[in-house]
Amino acid sequence: MGAAHRVRGRTMSVHFGCTLCGRCCHGLRLPLTALEARAWLRDGHDVQILCEAIPWLGEPEDPSSLAGYRRGRSFAADSGALALRVVVILAARFAGACPNLKSDMTCGIYPRRPLVCRIYPAEINPFRELQPAAKACPPEAWAPTQPVLERDGAPVDPLTREHIGAYRALDAAESGLRERVCAALNIDCAAVADEGFIIYSPARERLLAALEPGSGGSGTPAARGPWRLVSHRRAAVAAITAIGGVGVLGAPAGAGCEYFGLRPADGGED
């Protein structure tokens, strides 16, 4: 179990066994690799683009740090005079049951299911601790009689560790592709990191075309204007503006996106 798969500081075991409740297959934004996103779109389902951005004031000294992890899965951009790293996530979106969930709560595309489905409920982010209470699974799935899922912050199953490593590698390798997709789709808004996400819902055909090898999404990104950093908090927008960035309060009208907040907005609303 290498350090790349370990949640630092965790020294307990977590037990888990799937109960086929199907809760983890309902109402999700499911992160996908580019290849998985193309397959999902070809199957006639929807994929959204989630964007967040980190003001980037200097390179991390330690590549194994949180800043190093974020750098690896992002691309460089500018917001006015402010340097950024932009994180883009391709996510399958469905309300209610996953379109591939069968009536017996098994997966209809099990042999080709996305990597995140193979990894769940383990965490992909090496800095995020597995919290059973935050998962959709019922309490009996976490009973001590279930098999050990994780020990000392690392999954015990070699295949799960392999899938985590594969997802992280693709997440980093595809950052340039995601940058080109944003350029092709005129995406230029991102939420302030750790506050929320800006969500775009492009037409299936348009996103699929941008993702296809050899398409407009596979060349050098075209010159573009500054990225806009979005928050629902006036203080955050003021702070971004004060350091030279282009800050916007709420999703800009006409940008074709929505804001999903992780922190209370001004006025006490989420």
Side-chain angles (χ1 to χ4, degrees), residues 126-163:
F127 297 91
R128 180 175 298 152
E129 183 176 312
L130 173 59
Q131 298 282 356
K135 301 295 182 177
C137 312
E140 55 267 29
W142 308 97
T145 52
Q146 297 285 12
V148 176
L149 170 70
E150 180 182 282
R151 184 178 292 116
D152 294 338
V156 300
D157 176 43
L159 188 56
T160 299
R161 297 199 301 270
E162 181 181 327
H163 290 327

Side-chain angles (χ1 to χ4, degrees), residues 50-72:
L50 282 61
C51 304
E52 64 172 344
I54 310 155
W56 205 249
L57 306 181
E59 290 298 316
E61 295 183 3
D62 182 2
S64 68
S65 65
L66 175 59
Y69 175 69
R70 285 177 156 178
R71 190 194 191 286

